[in-house]
Structures are given as C-alpha cells and as structure tokens.
Amino acid sequence: MSFNQAQQEAVSHNEGPCLVLAGPGSGKTLTIVGRIQKLIQTYHVSPEEILVITFTKYAAVEMKNRFFSAMKGTRPAVTFGTFHGIYYGILKWAYRFGPENILSEEEKRQMLLQIVNRKEIDEFEEEDFLKEIISEIGIVKNNGLKIEEYETTICGKETFREIYREYERKRNEERKIDFDDMLLLCRDLFIKRPDILKKWQEKFRYILIDEFQDINQVQYDVIRMLAAPENNLFVVGDDDQSIYGFRGADSRLMFQFQKDFPDAKQLLLDVNYRSSKNIVKNSLKVIANNEVRFDKKIRAWKESGETLHVQEVKDPVEEASYVVEQIKKQMETGILAEEIAVLFRVHTDARAVVEALIDEKIPFQMREHLPNLYNHFIAKDIMAYFRLAMGQRERKDFLQVMNRPKRYLGRDCLPGRVVSFEEMRKFYCDKEWMQDRIDQFEWDLKMLAKMAPYAAIQYLKKKIGYDEFLREYATTKNMKAADLREVLSEIEEAAKPFQTMEEWFVHVEEYTEALKKKEQQKEQNQEGVRLMTLHASKGLEFHTVFLIEANEGRIPYQKAEKEQNVEEERRLFYVGMTRAKDYLELSFYTNPESRVMPGESRFLRMIPQALVENDAAGGAENDLQTLKKMILEERAAGESAKKPEPKEEAPQERYITHRKYGKGKVVAEDEAVLTAEFPGYGEKEFLKAFCGMEYTEGSGD
C-alpha cells in the first residue's frame, strides 16, 4: 500500500491515544487498514488484542475484507464489529443473553404503536411520528438522560414521558432489552464489576474506531473504560461530517477526547482524493462558517474541474424536469446511471424527480424506503372528495370526509354501502339546518366535478374549509399545523400537470405501483440513477451529484431553530457537496410554498465561486452561463480585453442595484465583467452586457 505523508504518520502510530481528523475522500479506510497491518507486522501485536469498531455492519464487513486483502490471503484474528455487536458479545458472556432477550426493531415499533393507540394519540398518522418517538427514546438512553428532565420536540412532554415509561414497563415485563439498553447495561456492568472490566481490557489492548464523530455519550464512556489503563485508542473521524445528532451522536466528544487524553497525538489527513479542486474549495467555503469545528486546511488531489453550477427554477416540477434533462445529457456523454446521484433533504422532496424519471423511463434506485405521499390521510381525504365529485357514492368515502370540515353528520345517516343525498335528507327531515348543510355538501361536490385537480384542491381548501379543518385538527391532536400544510402543499404541486381527476387517479395508481416495485427490488443490485437523502449519502461517492431543493426552509430544515442545529444542517449540506467527484449541481426554486421559503438556502450564498445567474431552466440562460464562464477563464489567463485608461481623478464609489441581492458596492470591473459586494451575500460577478442593473454614485445609503 502507498501512503502520503499524513497517512504514513497515522499508520506508523504505535502506542497511546491518537485522534486522526479525516476529511472527505482522504483515504481513512486505507489508513486504518494500514495501521492494523503495521501493528501486527512491525510492532508484533497479537491480532487477538486488536479491536476495530465501526457504526454499521456493512462498514465492519468492508473494513474486514479490505484488511484480509491487504494481508494477501492470511486471515489474522482481529475483531471487527459495531458498537452494538461488541457490547452484545460482552453482555452475552456476562449474563448469558441470547437472541430471545433482544427486542427487534419491528417488535419495538409494534410495542410503541400499541401504546400510542391505547392513549388515543393519532399524531402517528404523520408517517415519521413513530420513527421520531423511537429516535428520542434513543437520545434519552444513549446520553444517559433522566426522562423527567428531557424536553421532547414531537409532542407534549407529559405525553412523551408516559409513552417512554409505559414502553420501559412493557419491555421489562417481556424480559427483553433493546439495542440502546445494550450500551447502558455494558456501562453499568463495567462500573459494578471491575474484575469483568479488567478481563476485557486485557483482551482488547489496541482499539481503533472509525467515524468517531458519530459516537454518543454512553458509547464514549464505555470505550474510555475499555481502553484504560494503556489508552491505546486510535480514533478516526471528521467533525465536519457529524450529521446524526437526532440519533444522539455528539461531535463535541471529539473535542472532549483532547481533554480526556491531553497527551494524544493529533493528525490531519489533508488530501481529498475524491473531488475536484472546485468542489473541495467551495465546500470548505460553506463549512468554514461553522463556529464549533476543528480548523482544517484540505487540498484536492485532482485538477480544478468544472465550476459548480447553481440552477434557479420556478417550482419542483420544473426542477425535476431540468434535473432529468441534465441526467440524460450526462448519460449521453458516457457517464453510467449508477454514477449519478440525486440528493435531497427529506423523502418528500424526491416525489417530482421520481415521477419525471418514470415518465422518461430512466432506471433509478432508491437507497431508502420512500414513503408514498398518497398514503397520507390528507391525500386519502382528497381522493375521497374527488371520487364523490365523480359520482361515486361509497359509504367509506362519505365516512372519510363528511365531517372534514365539521358538518355534524352522524354515521347513522349512512345506512347502506351506497349512499344517496336524498336518504341523508330524509334522515334529517326534522332539522332544517342539517338539510342546508347536506345541500351545501352536494353543491360543493358538483363544483369540484367541473374542475381540474389543482383547482379542485384550491376550492376544497378555501371554499369548503379544509384549511381550517387542518388547523383545528393540528390543535386537537397537539401537532404542528405547518407539518400538515407541507403535506397538502406537496399534493397540490403534484396535481398541477393533470387536466382531469381521472388522469390524476391514473397517475396516483402508476406512481404507487412504481414505488411498490422499487421497494421489492431494493435488496437487489439494480441499475439506475441513485436517489437518496443527504443522510443516506454519507460514505458514498458519485461522478455526478444533483442536490435538489436547496431552498431556505428545507436546507437548513425549518425545524432547525437552535444555532447548533443550524450548524449540523450546514454539515449535512457539506456532506452532500462532497459526495461529488467531478460534477456538482445545486438547484432551488423561487415560487413561494408553505413548506419552504422562496429563494436559495443561506448556504448557497456562502459559495462565491458558484455560477448563480440562471433565472430559469432554459437554453438561452445556459448559453449565458457558458459565455460568462468563457470570459472569466479568458480574464484569468490574461487574455481579456485591455482595461480602460485610468481617469485622472479618483473615481467615486459606485453601487449597483440587483433585483435579488439588493444594493451592492462595485469592487472591481473591466470591459466584460463587474464584481460587486452585497451585504449578506458576499461578492458576486456579472457579465456587464447582460446584468441589466442600475448604477448609482456615491453613498450606498
């Protein structure tokens, strides 16, 4: 194996603690494997004394295979495993635990689902509710917090505490532990039984940890005990890629490591072998805005490559169309579909791109389960309204929406499987005010029948009162109204292209079927463009990356209110940018929606090298981008037109007004290009022939 200077220094580390900061594409796996090999072959450490810990089974297997390959056929007995796997092994030895004692993730989900049902809490109609409950239970346990002091973000604090306590009681009754309990039990075991701790300390004298930035407090506590007293602890990570705070990961523990091991050697793997120079340079411009981080000077191995491209579009539909067209162009140049990735912040962002890929018959893969938008109760309400408007009279559809909004209609007025408005009026024959409500219900359905799906949803929201129903529903169920508005907005956007309800229903069916097929094929090695969330992209790399919906309110996510959460969102954006090897394109849309703010993410404004002047996904604008690039390259090479003769008098300060950036100070210009600095946006470059901006002299006030 061949190593650069920094890698060689890390590989050669013998005893004592060591913190290796490893940026994206810096060869950390190569370095870890090299050090294991060095320990065995040069320092004559027994393989049985070496423990290598990763965060996923996949990473553990990959690391093990890389090590065996480096050892050229020999298979030394080094222990590779995950935190949970290693701790389970210790508990199994100490307590004779078996598989029957472990609560699977599905069992855990079902147990919590039952608890929520019994408490008549139906926020779980939101697809992520149970996942968030499970995540927060993990945060409490993984950080050793007291449930009485923990402040939940997903429901009422007393409600969450009741769910937690009931879950713990039920789990104990069944005499099972979950994966988070393994960590706590292992820590307690080592504290209560120093003799057992000593046994495992003597077994694992050299400990190596990959992705150290993802560690939580309890994991860290156990590792510190296990590594003592020799402290041969070799940890590799990148605080700039710490993106799992919602799981309890705490990148601040990397700084704590320095305090707990003041004699620790600190090394930086400072060469990015993955990405082009422009991608490295601009991603560092973004992440440098985080305050809590190790300062790193990362350089790229590759040449500059293509300039980052930022594309402005009208809405998600236009964004999807643009991205798919660019994917086709990439594939026409010989780039394999598998080398192209579309990244997004949350699953719902992928809907428009998935539909466009299906329409263009471009194969694609989804790394994660993609929730079906049309399974949400809001979508089911709209479908029921549409079916009734189309003349269907199924009782189940009436039951779905007859009191959404509240009409005070009772189930008893619907005696059969098929319902008629005349029968409903007969049931309420002695209540004139109810007759009026039924008349209005029937009239509204007749109006909906005349409309295209998008217009029908607008009528449903405003005229029928579905907007008000959602607000009341959110209040009653202790939910965030914004979350429900986001779902409704997504359904609205999806409905825009269709002229009739029949067309829309066909689309829903085709989309649902396509998702089912993709879910069935997920475990197979399928060809196609990769679609995944930013979180799922961690550890992967692609020739081409499209990072979509880079809008304020989405990136950073609207729920990231605290500064530490914004910093994690910035790290997530940085991870997405650094998945790209050669080509990176970021896009945002300008039409206002309830779920995001119109306009680009604040993170995009931190990229001074990006080309950001596209106003739409059109050919003329693309030509403008090409022209600008050519002029800038010529100027940089000293081939631009001669500068005008300097004036005898010192020129006054000049300002320009841009429709997007506001008023900015002119800091440089020649015959072709003008550079101006805008408050909050930094320096921007424009082609003078096309910028079309107003100049002012003197004060910028």
Side-chain angles (χ1 to χ4, degrees):
M1 287 183 283
S2 176
F3 304 101
N4 63 34
Q5 184 176 345
Q7 291 170 335
Q8 186 61 56
E9 193 172 353
V11 166
S12 301
H13 178 75
N14 185 4
E15 296 184 336
C18 182
L19 171 63
V20 180
L21 300 173
S26 60
K28 63 180 179 61
T29 302
L30 176 73
T31 303
I32 294 172
V33 168
R35 184 178 183 250
I36 303 169
Q37 196 175 4
K38 192 83 168 180
L39 287 173
I40 297 170
Q41 295 179 339
T42 303
Y43 302 132
H44 306 295
V45 174
S46 172
E48 290 83 359
E49 295 179 330
I50 301 173
L51 171 64
V52 183
I53 303 178
T54 65
F55 278 84
T56 67
K57 290 181 181 179
Y58 175 83
V61 171
E62 184 184 27
M63 188 81 71
K64 187 176 184 177
N65 291 337
R66 290 277 294 273
F67 170 64
F68 287 161
S69 177
M71 297 301 289
K72 300 188 185 306
T74 62
R75 303 171 76 87
V78 175
T79 300
F80 295 85
T82 64
F83 276 103
H84 287 103
I86 300 301
Y87 293 1
Y88 173 66
I90 295 171
L91 295 173
K92 184 178 179 181
W93 177 87
Y95 297 127
R96 302 293 187 266
F97 278 165
E100 69 278 2
N101 301 114
I102 306 301
L103 190 71
S104 72
E105 289 301 298
E106 181 56 28
E107 288 174 326
K108 184 177 186 176
R109 184 184 176 280
Q110 290 299 323
M111 190 178 289
L112 285 165
L113 185 62
Q114 291 173 11
I115 294 169
V116 170
N117 277 327
R118 283 198 300 272
K119 293 186 175 297
E120 298 183 351
I121 302 170
D122 62 356
E123 292 100 320
F124 64 88
E125 286 184 299
E126 287 293 287
E127 293 179 2
D128 291 336
F129 181 73
L130 279 181
K131 185 169 66 175
E132 291 178 342
I133 285 284
I134 291 169
S135 174
E136 293 209 352
I137 289 174
I139 289 173
V140 172
K141 292 187 176 185
N142 291 328
N143 290 284
L145 306 176
K146 294 181 179 178
I147 186 61
E148 295 78 16
E149 300 173 358
Y150 180 72
E151 296 290 334
T152 181
T153 60
I154 56 175
C155 59
K157 60 182 180 181
E158 286 304 320
T159 299
F160 176 75
R161 291 167 188 174
E162 289 174 9
I163 293 171
Y164 180 90
R165 292 186 184 108
E166 191 166 338
Y167 166 71
E168 287 293 276
R169 180 184 59 77
K170 181 71 173 173
R171 182 185 58 74
N172 286 319
E173 284 178 359
E174 296 188 10
R175 301 179 63 85
K176 289 192 174 188
I177 62 172
D178 61 24
F179 288 101
D180 299 318
D181 293 321
M182 292 182 192
L183 312 182
L184 292 167
L185 288 172
C186 200
R187 183 183 67 175
D188 294 343
L189 173 66
F190 284 171
I191 293 172
K192 295 174 182 176
R193 293 291 301 275
D195 57 323
I196 292 177
L197 172 60
K198 188 172 185 293
K199 169 184 168 55
W200 290 96
Q201 287 172 335
E202 292 173 349
K203 177 174 175 57
F204 297 129
R205 294 183 54 240
Y206 293 82
I207 302 173
L208 299 87
I209 302 177
D210 188 20
E211 304 286 5
F212 187 68
Q213 75 279 350
D214 295 333
I215 202 166
N216 63 48
Q217 186 65 57
V218 178
Q219 290 167 338
Y220 183 66
D221 292 342
V222 175
I223 285 298
R224 281 186 63 200
M225 288 188 282
L226 194 59
E230 297 181 69
N231 293 331
N232 294 322
L233 187 56
F234 185 88
V235 301
V236 182
D238 183 8
D239 56 303
D240 289 335
Q241 297 186 72
S242 178
I243 59 175
Y244 297 116
F246 65 94
R247 296 180 185 170
D250 188 353
S251 63
R252 293 172 298 182
L253 292 172
M254 295 188 72
F255 298 91
Q256 187 63 40
F257 184 90
Q258 291 183 305
K259 296 177 181 178
D260 294 333
F261 303 98
D263 59 335
K265 181 184 289 187
Q266 182 175 312
L267 302 170
L268 171 65
L269 304 186
D270 60 349
V271 181
N272 183 318
Y273 292 95
R274 174 189 299 155
S275 305
S276 68
K277 186 177 180 179
N278 277 328
I279 293 172
V280 172
K281 179 170 62 176
N282 285 291
S283 62
L284 288 173
K285 290 280 188 183
V286 174
I287 200 62
N289 288 271
N290 273 8
E291 294 184 3
V292 183
R293 64 183 294 267
F294 290 97
D295 187 31
K296 310 176 191 72
K297 305 297 182 186
I298 306 292
R299 54 195 175 92
W301 180 258
K302 293 182 178 180
E303 297 298 322
S304 293
E306 293 196 51
T307 306
L308 272 65
H309 187 76
V310 178
Q311 183 66 43
E312 178 182 314
V313 294
K314 182 178 67 176
D315 54 36
V317 173
E318 185 173 273
E319 180 179 53
S321 177
Y322 173 79
V323 167
V324 170
E325 282 302 309
Q326 297 306 306
I327 289 172
K328 288 163 67 177
K329 290 179 181 179
Q330 288 279 308
M331 293 171 66
E332 288 168 2
T333 66
I335 305 299
L336 296 175
E338 297 77 37
E339 279 293 307
I340 302 172
V342 180
L343 310 182
F344 36 85
R345 178 62 180 85
V346 296
H347 293 105
T348 54
D349 298 344
R351 191 266 315 159
V353 173
V354 168
E355 291 178 347
L357 289 168
I358 292 171
D359 289 342
E360 293 292 331
K361 296 180 171 53
I362 297 174
F364 65 95
Q365 291 186 37
M366 296 181 298
R367 186 172 173 85
E368 311 137 286
H369 168 71
L370 181 63
N372 188 351
L373 174 70
Y374 303 114
N375 286 339
H376 195 280
F377 83 85
I378 294 176
K380 291 179 179 179
D381 286 352
I382 292 171
M383 290 180 196
Y385 265 113
F386 283 8
R387 282 192 291 268
L388 293 173
M390 293 164 65
Q392 299 180 32
R393 294 292 182 262
E394 293 285 332
R395 186 173 188 266
K396 61 181 179 65
D397 288 331
F398 275 97
L399 289 173
Q400 181 81 24
V401 300
M402 67 184 188
N403 286 309
R404 295 185 171 193
K406 196 69 176 175
R407 298 182 177 91
Y408 299 96
L409 295 169
R411 299 173 70 92
D412 293 343
C413 74
L414 311 174
R417 187 178 65 84
V418 179
V419 178
S420 75
F421 281 100
E422 197 55 42
E423 289 176 346
M424 294 170 66
R425 292 188 185 90
K426 287 179 181 178
F427 185 87
Y428 291 106
C429 59
D430 57 339
K431 294 182 175 66
E432 187 175 346
W433 61 278
M434 288 298 296
Q435 297 264 349
D436 292 341
R437 292 176 184 270
I438 295 168
D439 289 345
Q440 185 63 51
F441 191 5
E442 187 176 20
W443 172 259
D444 286 334
L445 293 179
K446 289 179 180 178
M447 295 300 294
L448 290 175
K450 302 175 182 178
M451 301 176 182
Y454 180 79
I457 295 173
Q458 302 306 306
Y459 185 91
L460 179 60
K461 286 167 55 180
K462 307 300 182 184
K463 298 294 185 181
I464 297 179
Y466 194 77
D467 260 351
E468 183 59 33
F469 158 73
L470 287 182
R471 281 192 290 271
E472 293 175 356
Y473 185 90
T475 302
T476 304
K477 305 301 182 183
N478 196 28
M479 301 171 68
K480 292 183 178 179
D483 292 344
L484 297 181
R485 287 198 303 272
E486 180 175 332
V487 175
L488 182 55
S489 175
E490 185 70 20
I491 297 169
E492 283 181 81
E493 193 66 43
K496 281 182 178 179
F498 303 99
Q499 299 300 311
T500 66
M501 292 179 181
E502 289 85 352
E503 290 178 5
W504 186 73
F505 273 111
V506 170
H507 163 75
V508 170
E509 185 177 349
E510 290 176 348
Y511 180 77
T512 300
E513 189 61 31
L515 287 189
K516 285 181 181 177
K517 288 181 179 178
K518 290 297 176 184
E519 192 67 24
Q520 294 166 357
Q521 298 169 351
K522 193 167 61 173
E523 301 301 322
Q524 303 173 21
N525 185 22
Q526 297 292 313
E527 299 179 349
V529 177
R530 270 48 173 178
L531 272 66
M532 66 193 74
T533 61
L534 290 167
H535 282 101
S537 73
K538 177 76 165 54
L540 303 177
E541 61 182 31
F542 307 92
H543 175 278
T544 297
V545 169
F546 296 92
L547 204 165
I548 65 171
E549 206 160 307
N551 279 68
E552 190 70 20
R554 184 58 87 206
I555 305 175
Y557 199 46
Q558 59 188 355
K559 295 180 181 179
E561 298 171 351
K562 299 179 180 177
E563 182 56 33
Q564 68 184 63
N565 295 333
V566 173
E567 291 217 342
E568 179 158 321
E569 289 288 309
R570 192 178 287 110
R571 293 195 293 269
L572 186 60
F573 189 69
Y574 173 75
V575 165
M577 293 181 71
T578 54
R579 298 313 92 193
K581 294 191 288 187
D582 297 284
Y583 185 84
L584 173 62
E585 181 151 352
L586 308 104
S587 56
F588 68 96
Y589 53 84
T590 55
N591 273 11
E593 288 196 353
S594 59
R595 61 182 187 150
V596 297
M597 293 177 63
E600 74 268 44
S601 162
R602 70 189 76 173
F603 301 157
L604 288 183
R605 303 169 199 160
M606 300 168 183
I607 309 176
Q609 303 299 320
L611 302 180
V612 298
E613 292 311 300
N614 272 16
D615 292 329
E621 297 295 338
N622 290 332
D623 292 339
L624 174 59
Q625 292 295 325
T626 303
L627 178 60
K628 179 178 177 180
K629 184 178 179 181
M630 290 172 58
I631 292 175
L632 291 175
E633 288 175 346
E634 288 177 1
R635 186 181 68 172
E639 299 174 359
S640 59
K642 290 182 178 180
K643 294 181 180 180
E645 294 293 327
K647 296 178 180 179
E648 293 184 5
E649 298 180 4
Q652 282 188 292
E653 291 183 342
R654 303 181 73 206
Y655 293 82
I656 59 172
T657 302
H658 189 271
R659 62 178 180 79
K660 183 192 304 183
Y661 305 125
K663 182 166 283 186
K665 181 181 178 180
V666 178
V667 296
E669 68 177 302
D670 56 27
E671 287 186 350
V673 179
L674 177 147
T675 304
E677 185 176 8
F678 298 88
Y681 293 92
E683 290 188 2
K684 302 290 181 180
E685 293 177 316
F686 307 95
L687 294 179
K688 294 173 70 174
F690 297 96
C691 64
M693 288 175 285
E694 177 185 346
Y695 287 81
T696 56
E697 304 284 341
S699 173
D701 297 333

